[in-house]
Amino acid sequence: MQKTVLLALAFSLTVFPPLPHAADDISKIELPDMGDSSGTLITPEEEQQLGSAFFRSLNSQITINQDPEVQQYIQSVGQKLVTVSDLPGYPFHFFVVLENDINAFAGPGGYVGVNSGLILTTEAESELASVMAHEIAHVTQRHLYRAAEAAGRLSIPTAAAMLAAILLGTQSPQLGQAALVAIQAGSIQFQIDFTRENEEEADRVGMHILSESQFDPRSMPTFFERLQQSTRYYGQNIPEFLRTHPVTASRISDSRGRADQYPYKQYPDSLGYQLIRAKLRVLAGADPSETRKYFEARLNQGTSEQRTVSTYGLGLTALAQQKFAEAEHIFQKLVANFPDQTQYCAALARTALEQNQFARALALYENLSSRFPENEAIKFEYITSLLKTGQAEKARQALFSLSANAHKLPVYYQLLAETYGKLHQSAESHRYFAEYYYAMGQTRDAITQIRLAQKSKGLNFYLSSILSERLNFFLEEDKKAREAH
């Protein structure tokens, strides 16, 4: 019974609508009606605060990708879609969850997560874009408003923790139970059941976004259809996600009918999509030997580009297994053949870095940074090489040159903390370690770091004031979090 309730409450704006009983008519599906019921919504600033807190809560419970290349790719695809949406200036943040389950969801403040399992299930870049466009549409069409309104009656930390716990309810019954208690204690009716109209609108708007951003509208029904067909092979052991979020025949039919209204054309995948899928297969793979077999089996299959991607994947697998000579050989050959492909060049530099060949790695990264100055994934790795070679001041300058979007990544604060540590500025180092722990949803550790910073010698008035303000803020956040439990 508890699990059923959790699934009904799940704050997961997934790709598929809930499954009706076999005897029910599909028109009776009760998905969330999230229109503005009273006109009294939380402010945009509060929504952004809730979104940030929600993301921190997720970071504390699930493995969110920190790899700069993966993050740069998913953010670039998301922004390409957002640019042609109804809210091109809305501050969306896209991220990848390193989980093999097939899932995608949107949270408050435009935080959109996509599981690595879903990305690896797609067979075309437009299929991935179709899922992301659908989630963007849920946000731009205000389908989240009623949830935001309900959350607005709670403190930001309480609401964020509750939303994250509900999202993870099917994976962690304990967290899900905590979410139920929070809802009951606050006398909050918190339910996100998209109406069929919401889902149809998200499909329709998402398909328009796909077309305007030069992705294939037909990818949406194609992906739905493949997932529906995959359920046939599970028998009675259908995964929980596919049982509760099936792809119905009517949804496939509706989306295909809309897709057929667009002119047919070819939409080739970007090389970036193929390379990121190879990297995620290594990052999310449980058994490197199985991952190796996967790439080895494809070295002589497909197009020349696909074979090259398999070679790259094999190199990443060798690097993950610390088979440095093999990785070095593979990446040297790739760079020789494709000198302008940043992923191959960065992989070669990363191989040198992981072999503790710091001077060589730095030289490679400096060259890449000069050739591709706008590539922030390269900047992150360049900063690491600077720290390894004792050039902390250069690392600090490079960190402050990163975009505001990079500041949403916990690794940004971790690198800042390490940088100031090497600059022998312990107060600043502890200060940024505090921000790192806070970004990871570990507020008590953040409090410890601030207190350590306050004990540092030579504090000036400005920094002392910042530390006092952050300590009070973290203490209040921790108090509210304790009250929520």
Side-chain angles (χ1 to χ4, degrees):
M1 178 64 182
Q2 176 183 320
K3 193 170 187 180
T4 302
V5 174
L6 290 173
L7 292 172
L9 290 171
F11 187 76
S12 180
L13 312 186
T14 46
V15 187
F16 317 116
L19 174 65
H21 188 277
D24 291 343
D25 186 274
I26 192 168
S27 64
K28 298 179 181 178
I29 298 175
E30 294 183 1
L31 295 164
D33 178 6
M34 298 178 61
D36 179 1
S37 60
S38 64
T40 57
L41 300 175
I42 62 176
T43 67
E45 181 181 2
E46 288 171 334
E47 185 181 359
Q48 289 303 311
Q49 291 174 354
L50 177 59
S52 297
F54 170 73
F55 189 53
R56 288 194 298 274
S57 293
L58 288 180
N59 266 298
S60 70
Q61 303 298 338
I62 57 179
T63 304
I64 293 178
N65 165 73
Q66 296 293 321
D67 183 273
E69 282 184 344
V70 174
Q71 177 56 32
Q72 182 169 277
Y73 170 77
I74 203 70
Q75 187 69 22
S76 68
V77 173
Q79 287 304 320
K80 183 178 179 181
L81 296 166
V82 169
T83 299
V84 297
S85 75
D86 294 340
L87 296 175
Y90 195 83
F92 279 89
H93 179 69
F94 301 90
F95 58 95
V96 174
V97 179
L98 295 179
E99 294 284 349
N100 290 327
D101 294 337
I102 300 171
N103 201 5
F105 57 90
Y111 283 83
V112 176
V114 183
N115 279 22
S116 56
L118 185 144
I119 297 174
L120 293 175
T121 300
T122 63
E123 294 183 0
E125 189 169 29
S126 288
E127 293 181 0
L128 169 60
S130 74
V131 174
M132 297 174 68
H134 179 94
E135 299 303 336
I136 289 168
H138 273 310
V139 177
T140 63
Q141 303 310 302
R142 277 75 172 180
H143 297 161
L144 292 172
Y145 269 15
R146 182 163 291 172
E149 181 182 11
R153 301 174 211 167
L154 302 169
S155 69
I156 293 290
T158 301
M162 182 181 70
L163 296 177
I166 293 173
L167 170 62
L168 299 176
T170 56
Q171 301 172 22
S172 174
Q174 294 82 6
L175 288 172
Q177 183 60 39
L180 289 176
V181 171
I183 292 170
Q184 293 165 356
S187 299
I188 300 295
Q189 176 63 34
F190 203 97
Q191 185 167 341
I192 301 182
D193 297 323
F194 287 120
T195 64
R196 197 169 88 175
E197 289 75 19
N198 289 157
E199 285 296 306
E200 289 175 351
E201 184 174 41
D203 282 349
R204 185 182 71 253
V205 172
M207 193 169 290
H208 177 72
I209 291 173
L210 284 175
S211 175
E212 291 296 307
S213 54
Q214 297 303 303
F215 288 109
D216 187 1
R218 289 171 174 77
S219 64
M220 187 177 285
T222 298
F223 190 56
F224 288 169
E225 194 165 49
R226 187 175 337 108
L227 289 177
Q228 184 195 51
Q229 291 172 349
S230 71
T231 63
R232 301 174 183 174
Y233 304 105
Y234 292 109
Q236 297 299 313
N237 299 314
I238 297 175
E240 191 68 44
F241 179 82
L242 293 179
R243 280 203 299 269
T244 57
H245 303 86
V247 183
T248 63
S250 62
R251 185 175 185 185
I252 294 172
S253 177
D254 289 345
S255 61
R256 190 168 296 285
R258 283 191 291 269
D260 286 343
Q261 297 175 20
Y262 292 91
Y264 176 81
K265 60 179 287 188
Q266 294 288 332
Y267 296 85
D269 295 334
S270 71
L271 179 58
Y273 163 75
Q274 298 181 59
L275 295 175
I276 288 303
R277 287 180 77 243
K279 192 165 198 178
L280 283 175
R281 194 170 295 280
V282 176
L283 290 175
D287 186 351
S289 63
E290 289 301 315
T291 305
R292 172 178 285 274
K293 291 177 183 177
Y294 173 88
F295 289 120
E296 287 177 338
R298 286 160 177 76
L299 288 176
N300 298 309
Q301 296 179 7
T303 65
S304 174
E305 186 173 83
Q306 289 169 335
R307 294 195 298 272
T308 302
V309 170
S310 295
T311 300
Y312 171 69
L314 189 60
L316 292 179
T317 305
L319 186 57
Q321 294 177 310
Q322 296 188 329
K323 296 181 177 180
F324 297 122
E326 180 186 358
E328 176 93 17
H329 175 74
I330 289 173
F331 296 137
Q332 285 277 16
K333 187 174 181 180
L334 287 173
V335 170
N337 292 329
F338 307 96
D340 294 325
Q341 190 59 46
T342 58
Q343 288 91 337
Y344 303 154
C345 298
L348 179 61
R350 198 177 310 124
T351 301
L353 190 65
E354 293 196 18
Q355 290 183 87
N356 298 329
Q357 298 175 0
F358 300 135
R360 176 167 171 260
L362 179 61
L364 290 169
Y365 281 124
E366 284 181 334
N367 178 265
L368 286 173
S369 297
S370 175
R371 292 169 59 198
F372 308 101
E374 302 303 315
N375 190 310
E376 293 207 329
I378 289 175
K379 279 188 181 181
F380 268 108
E381 296 194 40
Y382 172 49
I383 289 164
T384 300
S385 69
L386 286 169
L387 291 175
K388 294 289 188 181
T389 53
Q391 301 188 55
E393 179 55 32
K394 268 193 173 183
R396 188 184 71 85
Q397 293 172 13
L399 279 163
F400 285 127
S401 74
L402 292 171
S403 69
N405 195 59
H407 299 183
K408 294 182 179 181
L409 302 177
V411 68
Y412 170 77
Y413 295 104
Q414 185 180 29
L415 287 171
L416 267 176
E418 292 176 6
T419 297
Y420 279 109
K422 290 185 179 296
L423 289 170
H424 307 293
Q425 298 182 33
S426 61
E428 292 281 22
S429 180
H430 288 303
R431 168 193 173 187
Y432 285 111
F433 267 126
E435 298 299 340
Y436 166 73
Y437 285 120
Y438 180 59
M440 293 295 291
Q442 301 172 29
T443 307
R444 294 182 194 177
D445 289 328
I447 292 169
T448 298
Q449 289 295 322
I450 289 291
R451 285 176 169 157
L452 287 172
Q454 289 178 322
K455 294 178 181 179
S456 301
K457 296 179 181 179
L459 288 180
N460 58 40
F461 175 78
Y462 173 72
L463 181 54
S464 183
S465 298
I466 290 176
L467 294 176
S468 295
E469 187 276 330
R470 294 305 282 166
L471 178 60
N472 291 334
F473 176 78
F474 292 149
L475 287 171
E476 184 65 21
E477 292 269 303
D478 185 55
K479 177 183 176 182
K480 291 174 180 176
R482 288 171 182 262
E483 291 172 351
H485 290 87

